């Protein structure tokens, strides 16, 4: 302090003072620190920014050169709002690393990186499909399904992903999930024609599998799919199931003419010809296809049906042996051959396919189930039960994956042995399943009818019709069964339900009209009203397009 006691400030040189945010000063009370807050703020911010830039450069270098994240960008690290881009780049790198590990046989590391990578890059299509395939091959189809469904928000405009998703869900008979997902896509992607077509076709197909033909047609009509290949094929299948067999045959024949190489159309065409007893034409088409596509096993299997219908067992054995020899590693060929064996009651052939599939290391579950069915069709019920028990004992997971099929076949087998108590137990288990399709229910009912268990067959169809009142396939079969058995208690109410549908089966309506017109039923109080409704529909149909005589 000077003589006057004035305070004195110690200042650094002028050039430095301009940069420093602080200075020491001395007054009567001693030394004190003076802070220049504006300069201090600028200094702190400058240091922070420089530190942040240095740290981001370090992280970028680590990610790009140490972690081999090829898509890493410095801007995605330094700007917080772009961190999600860096996270996605991390995920893509992990997914690539996972694929390399899986190819090298390191499943543990590959699976871990796959899951972590997909969590960081949830919209990676290939990674999501790969993870779902691993779950499916590990016999966890539930996890595969949830993995695929979780990808819909990220891949809702990817046609390839949607095809894989819908294909898997339909194979799992998760038809309601297909419809729910399709409706979401249709509501949220109205301007994407490819997505609209895929979603509407999937929803229509799922509705068809559930026997709800009116809803299936609504999807086809609303989204303009009636002239597409899938729409025309589905329309033909719907007419076939409704009982308009000749109309369906004309449609499928035209499709086959325009798309002769289409496998699905060919299979439906030849199958319907066989069911209508037109074996000569079916055989001609199969022979022509075998000549045109010699490496295709399907025409050879179809020729087996022709030889079986002709009673030519020698030719059946010869052709079956050739198929087993030439297509020993072809899963589709073996499944088609096993299906032939099941439908025609040839358990020895079905067992050959089953054993060959297992020996070759290709999926054998289908041939195993078809071996059981072949035994049931052949009337070897005890052997079918024993095979079922041995399969479940060796592979307990089959009980969950094919619960409905095992219970349905075992119910038929026990009724075939006249063990009604056990048969009813397995039948109840079969009927309590939520995802059993109309075609499965109708197939079981037909097998039960074949062994004389008509009351149980009716129970199956009634359960299907009650659970889904719009299931036209099950309702038509239920009415037909009641007509054949002379059961009329529920006939009027069921006929009214059928008439409420867009295109009821005319053959069923005509038979019902004849039966209700009998004098034996003249005192039923509701008979005349129902007869009038049936006659009105048949009259309108005759005046517009003519009723089917199939």
């Amino acid at each position: 302090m000077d003589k006057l006691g004035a305070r004195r400030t110690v200042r650094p040189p002028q050039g430095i003072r301009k940069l420093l945010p602080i200075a020491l000063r001395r007054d009567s009370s001693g030394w004190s620190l003076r802070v220049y807050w504006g300069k201090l703020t600028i200094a702190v911010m400058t240091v922070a920014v420089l530190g942040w830039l240095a740290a981001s450069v370090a992280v970028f270098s680590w990610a790009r050169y140490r972690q081999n994240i090829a898509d890493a960008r410095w801007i995605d690290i330094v700007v917080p709002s772009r961190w999600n881009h860096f996270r996605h780049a991390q995920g893509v790198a992990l997914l690539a690393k996972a694929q390399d590990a899986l190819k090298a046989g390191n499943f543990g590391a590959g699976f871990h990186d796959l899951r972590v990578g997909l969590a960081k890059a949830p919209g990676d299509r290939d990674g999501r499909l790969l993870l779902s395939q691993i779950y499916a091959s590990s016999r966890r189809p539930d996890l595969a399904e949830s993995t695929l469904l979780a990808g819909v928000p990220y891949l809702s405009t990817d046609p390839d992903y949607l095809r894989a998703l819908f294909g898997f869900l339909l194979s799992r008979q998760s038809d309601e999930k297909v419809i729910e997902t399709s409706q979401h896509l249709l509501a949220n992607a109205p301007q994407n024609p490819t997505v609209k077509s895929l979603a509407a076709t999937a929803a229509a197909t799922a509705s068809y599998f559930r026997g709800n033909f009116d809803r299936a047609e609504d999807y086809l009509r609303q989204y303009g799919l009636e002239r597409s290949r899938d729409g025309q094929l589905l329309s033909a299948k719907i007419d076939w199931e409704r009982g308009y067999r000749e109309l369906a045959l004309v449609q499928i024949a035209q499709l086959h003419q325009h798309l002769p190489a289409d496998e699905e159309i060919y299979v439906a065409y030849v199958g319907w010809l066989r069911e209508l007893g037109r074996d000569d034409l079916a055989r001609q088409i199969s022979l022509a296809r075998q000549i045109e596509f010699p490496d295709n096993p399907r025409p050879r299997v179809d020729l087996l049906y022709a030889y079986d219908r002709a009673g030519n067992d020698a030719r059946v054995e010869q052709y079956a042996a050739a198929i087993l020899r030439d297509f020993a590693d072809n899963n589709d060929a073996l499944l088609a051959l096993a299906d032939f064996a099941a439908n025609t009651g040839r358990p020895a052939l079905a067992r050959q396919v089953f054993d060959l599939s297992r020996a070759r290391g290709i999926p054998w579950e289908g041939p195993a189930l078809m071996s059981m069915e072949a035994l049931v069709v052949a009337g070897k019920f005890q052997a079918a039960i024993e095979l079922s028990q041995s399969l479940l004992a060796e592979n307990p997971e089959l009980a969950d994956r094919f619960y409905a099929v095992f219970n349905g076949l075992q119910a038929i087998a026990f009724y075939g042995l006249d063990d009604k108590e056990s048969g009813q137990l397995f039948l109840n288990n079969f009927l309590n399943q939520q995802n059993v399709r109309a075609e499965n229910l109708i197939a079981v009912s037909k097998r039960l009818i074949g062994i004389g268990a008509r009351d149980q067959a009716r129970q199956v169809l009634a359960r299907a019709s009650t659970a889904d009142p719009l299931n036209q396939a099950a309702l038509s079969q239920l009415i037909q069964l009641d007509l054949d058995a002379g059961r009329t208690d529920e006939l009027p109410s069921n006929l009214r339900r059928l008439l409420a549908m867009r295109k009821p089966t005319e053959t069923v309506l005509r038979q019902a009209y004849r039966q209700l017109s009998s004098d034996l039923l003249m005192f039923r109080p509701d008979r005349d009203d129902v007869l009038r409704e049936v006659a009105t529909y048949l009259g309108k149909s005759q005046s517009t397009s003519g009723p089917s005589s199939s």
Side-chain angles (χ1 to χ4, degrees):
M1 182 180 296
D2 58 19
K3 295 180 179 180
L4 298 177
R7 57 187 182 178
R8 183 175 56 191
T9 301
V10 178
R11 298 177 181 275
Q14 181 70 22
I16 299 176
R17 190 167 65 243
K18 291 181 179 180
L19 297 175
L20 292 179
I22 60 175
L24 289 173
R25 68 181 181 179
R26 185 179 181 185
D27 55 20
S28 59
S29 60
W31 291 92
S32 64
L33 183 69
R34 182 177 181 181
V35 179
Y36 300 92
W37 292 107
K39 292 182 178 180
L40 179 62
T41 302
I42 294 173
V44 170
M45 291 180 63
T46 301
V47 171
V49 169
L50 291 175
W52 179 258
L53 293 175
S56 65
V57 170
V59 172
F60 171 74
S61 300
W62 170 82
R64 174 66 70 87
Y65 303 111
R66 295 295 299 273
Q67 296 297 311
N68 296 319
I69 303 177
D71 294 335
R73 299 174 61 193
W74 179 73
I75 191 67
D76 295 334
I77 299 172
V78 74
V79 180
S81 62
R82 295 187 59 86
W83 283 352
N84 60 320
H85 294 278
F86 179 65
R87 178 181 173 86
H88 181 269
Q90 284 182 302
V92 171
L94 280 172
L95 291 172
K97 182 180 175 183
Q99 292 187 6
D100 292 339
L102 291 171
K103 290 178 181 178
N106 190 350
F107 180 81
F111 182 68
H112 174 268
D113 288 340
L114 183 60
R115 293 184 62 191
V116 175
L118 195 59
K120 291 178 177 293
D124 189 276
R125 180 190 66 189
D126 295 338
R128 190 166 291 276
L129 291 176
L130 178 58
L131 181 60
S132 67
Q133 290 170 3
I134 290 175
Y135 281 137
S137 62
S138 301
R139 298 178 178 177
R140 289 302 307 270
D142 55 329
L143 294 179
E145 180 176 315
S146 62
T147 299
L148 289 171
L149 287 171
V152 172
Y154 309 99
L155 296 160
S156 60
T157 59
D158 189 322
D160 292 333
Y161 184 80
L162 294 179
R163 290 189 187 95
L165 168 67
F166 289 135
F168 182 79
L169 291 177
L170 289 172
S171 70
R172 284 259 296 161
Q173 301 194 6
S174 299
D175 301 317
E176 293 305 322
K177 282 287 185 183
V178 171
I179 295 171
E180 178 185 342
T181 305
S182 298
Q183 289 176 338
H184 171 76
L185 292 171
L186 291 169
N188 292 280
Q191 305 304 321
N192 191 320
T194 303
V195 171
K196 282 174 57 177
S197 176
L198 281 172
T201 302
T205 303
S207 300
Y208 162 77
F209 281 134
R210 289 293 157 185
N212 193 337
F213 302 143
D214 288 357
R215 184 171 66 179
E217 287 182 331
D218 287 339
Y219 279 113
L220 296 179
R221 184 175 297 109
Q222 181 178 353
Y223 294 97
L225 301 175
E226 295 172 297
R227 303 311 304 166
S228 68
R229 178 264 184 199
D230 292 337
Q232 291 183 69
L233 178 58
L234 193 57
S235 294
K237 290 181 177 180
I238 290 172
D239 282 335
W240 178 268
E241 294 298 334
R242 278 172 165 162
Y244 294 82
R245 300 296 173 85
E246 294 296 335
L247 176 59
L249 199 62
V250 169
Q251 291 175 294
I252 202 71
Q254 291 175 346
L255 278 172
H256 179 65
Q257 182 178 3
H258 291 126
L259 300 169
D262 193 300
E263 182 86 353
E264 186 179 4
I265 293 173
Y266 160 77
V267 170
Y269 187 25
V270 172
W272 292 356
L273 287 172
R274 282 201 307 267
E275 195 165 338
L276 292 175
R278 301 177 187 180
D279 298 314
D280 289 341
L281 181 55
R283 184 171 59 252
Q284 292 173 17
I285 294 173
S286 297
L287 283 170
R289 190 173 185 83
Q290 183 182 359
I291 293 172
E292 187 173 2
F293 304 101
D295 295 330
N296 190 330
R298 186 71 218 194
R300 297 201 201 182
V301 175
D302 289 328
L303 286 171
L304 290 177
Y305 284 99
Y307 294 133
D308 177 77
R309 294 283 282 268
N312 193 338
D313 290 339
R315 294 288 280 176
V316 169
E317 293 178 4
Q318 178 185 354
Y319 261 66
I323 293 172
L324 288 170
R325 181 188 66 245
D326 297 339
F327 300 98
D329 295 313
N330 188 316
N331 185 44
D332 292 337
L334 295 180
L335 278 175
L337 185 58
D339 190 46
F340 163 77
N343 291 329
T344 57
R346 297 175 181 271
L349 177 58
R351 185 72 195 206
Q352 276 185 279
V353 178
F354 172 34
D355 292 338
L356 179 61
S357 299
R358 204 154 49 167
R360 293 280 183 170
I362 59 179
W364 51 264
E365 293 87 350
L369 296 173
M370 291 172 189
S371 295
M372 285 178 56
E373 188 174 359
L375 289 168
V376 168
V377 174
K380 299 180 179 181
F381 303 117
Q382 185 61 45
I385 294 171
E386 292 172 358
L387 176 58
S388 172
Q389 293 172 345
S390 66
L391 286 172
L392 292 175
E394 296 174 9
N395 309 275
E397 72 280 358
L398 294 178
D400 294 328
R401 297 174 59 204
F402 303 103
Y403 186 84
V405 178
F406 273 104
N407 281 282
L409 289 173
Q410 288 184 97
I412 298 168
F414 277 113
Y415 276 115
L417 293 173
D418 203 28
D419 186 347
K420 296 180 180 179
E421 183 177 353
S422 299
Q424 189 62 48
L425 175 64
F426 283 102
L427 188 62
N428 290 339
N429 292 337
F430 172 74
L431 293 177
N432 286 334
Q433 294 300 291
Q434 298 298 319
N435 289 329
V436 182
R437 285 175 170 168
E439 58 182 358
N440 304 123
L441 294 163
I442 293 171
V444 170
S445 70
K446 288 180 178 179
R447 297 295 188 207
L448 289 168
I449 292 172
I451 61 174
R454 302 184 70 86
D455 290 340
Q456 287 71 32
R458 189 186 189 282
Q459 184 181 351
V460 172
L461 294 171
R463 164 70 174 77
S465 184
T466 301
D468 186 359
L470 298 178
N471 189 324
Q472 184 172 341
L475 179 60
S476 298
Q477 291 291 329
L478 176 62
I479 294 173
Q480 184 66 62
L481 186 61
D482 282 347
L483 290 171
D484 295 340
R487 189 196 304 264
T488 60
D489 295 344
E490 300 180 20
L491 191 58
S493 61
N494 286 336
L495 282 171
R496 282 197 168 101
R497 287 173 55 199
L498 184 62
L499 285 167
M501 295 176 179
R502 183 175 297 139
K503 200 172 180 181
T505 307
E506 289 191 4
T507 53
V508 171
L509 293 178
R510 292 186 184 282
Q511 186 177 347
Y513 187 88
R514 288 193 298 269
Q515 197 155 321
L516 284 173
S517 300
S518 170
D519 292 341
L520 296 175
L521 301 175
M522 65 172 19
F523 296 111
R524 281 192 63 100
D526 51 357
R527 186 191 76 152
D528 292 341
D529 291 339
V530 175
L531 281 174
R532 186 162 45 251
E533 292 174 26
V534 173
T536 299
Y537 175 83
L538 291 175
K540 289 180 179 178
S541 177
Q542 179 70 43
S543 64
T544 55
S545 60
S548 172
S549 59
S550 58

